[in-house]
Amino acid sequence: MFRLMRESLQWSSNISFLTFGMAFLFALISTLFQEGSGLFLSLLIVFVFIMIGIIGDTIGLAAATSQENHFHAMAAKKVKGAKEAAFIAKKAPLFSSLFNDVVGDISGIVTGAASTAVVFQLAKLVQTSEGSIWFIIISVVLTSIIAAFTVGGKAICKTLAIYHSTNIILYTGKMMYYLKACTRIFAIWKKENRSVHMQSR
């Protein structure tokens, strides 16, 4: 029991730091793009963060419902990304928490903040002020639309995550595989450039 509590405390501490970092990054990106931007770009930012939240929830649920042995069979056939997918399935609680709680929840928070900026821009467009009846109507309607898109999108993707978890996690594994490959290539290129620089000196 104490061992599980200690492991849980360590994981929760790590996830808290990760959440802070990702929330800071998401909020920074949202703020930088919205600063002085037009209504269309602000709406696009809100839509992007809604999609990030939906995709995060989909991957998180797919990780929780996937079967590790399926990916080991694919890895034996040299399918790219299958090893990474097997790792995701093996660490399902970790990845489910990462995508559902961290990515999904942070996206929801940032979406709410970004939608506030859209409300003020719409209010300025219709020439109304904060506290007026039109401002309240705009705020309520926009919040309802965002909630409908978010909940509806997650409902659709939850069905996909449950019945097509293998494909979803395999595609996620492929993304991890290619990301690792690109990182490795960049590391080799950086090492070669360093050695050339040292020889030239």
Side-chain angles (χ1 to χ4, degrees):
M1 178 180 175
F2 289 108
R3 182 178 63 83
L4 289 173
M5 287 179 64
R6 189 169 60 252
E7 290 177 356
S8 177
L9 182 62
Q10 182 181 1
W11 163 241
S12 62
S13 300
N14 293 336
I15 207 72
S16 295
F17 284 114
L18 179 62
T19 302
F20 175 82
M22 289 188 68
F24 183 86
L25 180 63
F26 280 16
L28 180 63
I29 292 170
S30 175
T31 304
L32 287 175
F33 273 100
Q34 282 188 334
E35 198 68 33
S37 63
L39 179 62
F40 177 76
L41 182 58
S42 296
L43 285 170
L44 181 63
I45 291 167
V46 171
F47 176 76
V48 166
F49 278 106
I50 289 173
M51 291 306 299
I52 290 172
I54 291 172
I55 292 169
D57 268 23
T58 304
I59 296 173
L61 182 58
T65 56
S66 60
Q67 299 294 323
E68 184 183 350
N69 59 320
H70 292 168
F71 304 114
H72 286 302
M74 294 179 191
K77 297 177 181 178
K78 306 296 183 183
V79 176
K80 291 180 180 178
K83 287 183 179 179
E84 288 76 11
F87 178 75
I88 293 172
K90 183 178 181 180
K91 301 289 184 179
L94 186 152
F95 279 93
S96 181
S97 179
L98 175 64
F99 284 101
N100 286 118
D101 300 332
V102 179
V103 177
D105 290 353
I106 291 174
S107 297
I109 293 168
V110 176
T111 299
S115 64
T116 302
V118 174
V119 169
F120 279 97
Q121 288 179 343
L122 283 171
K124 186 178 179 181
L125 189 66
V126 298
Q127 296 180 343
T128 187
S129 58
E130 186 178 358
S132 67
I133 186 65
W134 280 111
F135 186 90
I136 294 170
I137 291 172
I138 291 169
S139 180
V140 170
V141 170
L142 184 64
T143 302
S144 302
I145 291 172
I146 290 172
F149 269 108
T150 304
V151 175
K154 287 184 178 182
I156 293 170
C157 288
K158 272 182 170 59
T159 303
L160 294 174
I162 292 170
Y163 292 103
H164 299 281
S165 59
T166 301
N167 289 333
I168 291 170
I169 296 304
L170 180 60
Y171 287 134
T172 307
K174 285 179 184 289
M175 290 178 64
M176 289 177 63
Y177 172 84
Y178 288 117
L179 184 63
K180 284 166 63 178
C182 291
T183 306
R184 197 177 299 117
I185 291 169
F186 178 75
I188 294 170
W189 174 79
K190 191 174 180 181
K191 186 177 179 181
E192 287 179 351
N193 276 2
R194 191 185 296 115
S195 62
V196 169
H197 179 70
M198 291 295 290
Q199 288 174 4
S200 64
R201 291 179 62 185

